[in-house]
Amino acid sequence: MFGDLSGMMQKLKETQQKVEETKKRLDTVLIDETSNDGKLKVTVTANSAIKSIAMDNSLLADADELEDYLILTLNKALEKAKKINENELANVAKSGMPNIPGLNF
């Protein structure tokens, strides 16, 4: 009914391995995001791990302003990371799906 079941299972195992390899690789993909005025720069990985935060010393004078800068800039960076992560993992998963009649991916 589904053809070569052991072949499909092997392909799924290979895809799972490729997904894990892609996740590890995404730890090395860095996304930089800078505030509009350049006072704050953050770097995150495509797996959404914060790697660095650099800021202008003027931001240290006002905690509320610093918080706003951090929230806005980190959210932009994390959104970019999420899109990269989802696209990369979707491509790996799609390429490794077995050909099952009736399922179109």
Side-chain angles (χ1 to χ4, degrees), residues 2 97-105:
F2 290 115
M97 290 299 295
N99 186 14
I100 300 174
L103 294 180
N104 297 322
F105 292 102

Side-chain angles (χ1 to χ4, degrees), residues 73-95:
T73 308
L74 281 168
N75 280 336
K76 284 185 202 176
L78 293 173
E79 183 61 32
K80 287 180 182 179
K82 179 181 174 183
K83 286 180 183 177
I84 291 169
N85 187 293
E86 287 175 350
N87 286 338
E88 291 289 323
L89 292 176
N91 287 337
V92 170
K94 186 177 179 181
S95 70

Side-chain angles (χ1 to χ4, degrees), residues 36-92:
N36 290 337
D37 60 5
K39 289 185 177 182
L40 182 73
K41 179 182 176 186
V42 298
T43 302
V44 299
T45 69
N47 282 328
S48 299
I50 299 169
K51 298 303 274 184
S52 70
I53 298 174
M55 68 187 81
D56 187 278
N57 286 339
S58 66
L59 292 175
L60 297 175
D62 185 347
D64 289 334
E65 181 182 28
L66 176 57
E67 183 178 330
D68 289 343
Y69 270 79
L70 285 168
I71 290 169
L72 290 172
T73 308
L74 281 168
N75 280 336
K76 284 185 202 176
L78 293 173
E79 183 61 32
K80 287 180 182 179
K82 179 181 174 183
K83 286 180 183 177
I84 291 169
N85 187 293
E86 287 175 350
N87 286 338
E88 291 289 323
L89 292 176
N91 287 337
V92 170

